[in-house]
Amino acid sequence: MIDVDNKLIVSTPSDREILMTRVFDAPRDLVFQAMTDPKAIPQWWGPRRYETIVDKMEPRAGGAWRFINRDREGNEFAFHGVYREVSPPERLAYTFEFEGFPGQVSLETITLEEREGKTYSTNRIFFDSVEARDGMLQSGMESGASETMDRLAELVQRMRREQTAQGAQR
C-alpha cells in the first residue's frame, strides 16, 4: 500500500524483506535525478542531525558508492555498496552495507512510477537472514528512513520550483 498523504510506509512482506513506499509530489525524472546526483545527496540523505559526505558515487551498473554521516561531535558512520542496476528514470538496485556492522549486506531495489505528475516510490530491501532484517528494524531505521524521505521530498520540491522559474525566464 502506498500512502497518498506522502508519508513513508514501512512493511515486512516476508521474513527477509522490508518494503518502503512513498509518494513524491514531483515527476519521477526529478526524483531519480536527486537520487543519482552526488551534489544532491548531502541535501537529503540521512537524518538532519548528520552532515552527509559523498566519498564516492558512480551511479552506473558496477559503480561503487560510499556515504559518510558525521554528527556534531565529529563521529562518523559510513555506508557503502555497489550499484547493480541504474535504469533512468525508473529503477535503481544496489547493495547496502553499514560499515559499523561489516558483512551485513542487503540488496535494495527502488522502482519509481509516475502517475499524474506524482512519483510512486517502492523500495524493496532483501536481507540474508531474518536476524539481519530484524536488526535493521530494531536499529531505528524506520524513523531515519522517514526523515530521509521527507528531506528528499523537500529537495525535489525546490528542484521543481527552480525548473519552473528557469522555464519562465526563457
Side-chain angles (χ1 to χ4, degrees):
M1 177 174 95
I2 294 183
D3 182 2
V4 293
D5 293 328
N6 301 345
K7 295 296 174 199
L8 184 70
I9 302 292
V10 178
S11 62
T12 52
S14 73
D15 62 354
R16 293 180 29 210
E17 181 180 9
I18 295 173
L19 179 66
M20 298 189 298
T21 57
R22 167 81 190 237
V23 178
F24 296 94
D25 190 13
R28 78 176 175 174
D29 63 324
L30 281 182
V31 176
F32 191 88
Q33 179 184 343
M35 290 179 162
T36 56
D37 179 351
K39 292 178 184 155
I41 297 299
Q43 298 177 57
W44 68 269
W45 203 88
R48 293 180 203 281
R49 68 183 178 273
Y50 297 123
E51 170 191 12
T52 298
I53 299 127
V54 175
D55 180 48
K56 183 185 305 182
M57 185 174 183
E58 305 162 317
R60 59 173 174 71
W65 67 271
R66 184 173 187 262
F67 304 159
I68 303 164
N69 285 153
R70 182 180 296 144
D71 67 16
R72 288 181 183 97
E73 290 77 42
N75 299 305
E76 294 185 347
F77 312 94
F79 307 82
H80 70 269
V82 175
Y83 290 97
R84 298 267 179 94
E85 178 183 350
V86 179
S87 300
E90 62 203 33
R91 190 171 154 98
L92 284 171
Y94 52 87
T95 59
F96 179 97
E97 182 175 4
F98 172 48
E99 293 178 5
F101 290 105
Q104 299 294 318
V105 180
S106 58
L107 176 64
E108 294 197 29
T109 303
I110 300 172
T111 304
L112 303 174
E113 180 184 343
E114 187 170 333
R115 288 186 243 149
E116 299 176 7
K118 294 181 187 277
T119 299
Y120 292 73
S121 172
T122 304
N123 184 355
R124 291 188 180 278
I125 309 169
F126 292 96
F127 297 86
D128 290 334
S129 67
V130 176
E131 295 78 18
R133 185 211 58 185
D134 290 350
M136 180 65 79
L137 289 169
Q138 292 165 4
S139 74
M141 68 78 61
E142 188 170 346
S143 65
S146 182
E147 186 174 354
T148 295
M149 293 298 99
D150 288 347
R151 293 182 69 201
L152 177 57
E154 293 163 10
L155 174 61
V156 295
Q157 284 304 306
R158 287 193 307 271
M159 292 169 65
R160 191 176 193 180
R161 285 191 299 273
E162 289 169 8
Q163 213 176 44
T164 301
Q166 288 172 356
Q169 292 176 359
R170 292 181 186 166

